[in-house]
């Protein structure tokens, strides 16, 4: 049934473009694009765009990455003579990086599952 539907749609598209045989002067790219269009029109499943693991878990990843970036910015703009502040920021930054790394691993795992 699907094969007949595809053939009917392809035949109609070919006739609409004046192509009765693929070798009658039309380039093959037009012929191939019509075949793909007929296949797309006949497809029984809906396409969905898969944007990847990062976009899949954006709501979880963005806050932890933002927090890590904020700490990094603070560290870069802290006076090195403030030894205690620098060490505290470095410790917090290491923890934040660990949280980001773990969340990225979880996001990749849940996306691929």
């Amino acid at each position: 049934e699907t094969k007949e539907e595809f053939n009917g749609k392809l035949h109609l598209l070919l006739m609409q473009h004046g192509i009765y045989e693929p070798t009658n002067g039309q380039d093959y790219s037009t012929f191939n694009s019509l075949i793909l269009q007929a296949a797309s029109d006949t497809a029984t499943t809906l396409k969905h765009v898969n944007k990847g693991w990062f976009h899949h878990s954006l709501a979880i990843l963005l806050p932890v990455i933002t927090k890590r970036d904020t700490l990094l910015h603070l560290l870069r703009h802290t006076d090195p003579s403030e030894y205690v502040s620098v060490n505290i920021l470095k410790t917090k930054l290491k923890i934040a990086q660990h949280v980001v790394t773990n969340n990225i691993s979880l996001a990749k795992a849940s996306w691929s599952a």
Side-chain angles (χ1 to χ4, degrees):
E1 179 179 305
T2 304
K3 182 179 177 183
E4 288 137 7
E5 182 182 355
F6 167 77
N7 287 337
K9 288 184 181 189
L10 179 59
H11 181 70
L12 181 63
L13 285 169
L14 291 172
M15 290 184 64
Q16 287 173 345
H17 287 82
I19 301 173
Y20 300 101
E21 290 184 31
T23 57
N24 74 347
Q26 293 288 332
D27 61 331
Y28 277 100
S29 61
T30 303
F31 181 70
N32 289 335
S33 68
L34 294 175
I35 290 174
L36 292 175
Q37 183 180 346
S40 176
D41 293 345
T42 309
T44 56
T45 59
L46 297 175
K47 279 187 178 180
H48 74 285
V49 178
N50 189 345
K51 294 184 179 181
W53 63 267
F54 183 79
H55 294 287
H56 181 263
S57 300
L58 190 62
I60 296 168
L61 294 174
L62 201 53
V64 294
I65 291 172
T66 302
K67 183 176 180 179
R68 190 244 359 237
D69 290 349
T70 303
L71 288 169
L72 184 58
H73 179 76
L74 284 171
L75 180 62
R76 288 182 177 165
H77 290 88
T78 301
D79 185 7
S81 64
E82 297 178 31
Y83 182 75
V84 174
S85 296
V86 169
N87 282 340
I88 290 171
L89 283 173
K90 283 183 177 180
T91 303
K92 286 184 177 183
L93 186 59
K94 283 181 184 179
I95 293 168
Q97 182 58 49
H98 186 70
V99 170
V100 168
T101 303
N102 286 343
N103 278 293
I104 287 174
S105 296
L106 290 172
K108 288 179 178 179
S110 69
W111 179 73
S112 65

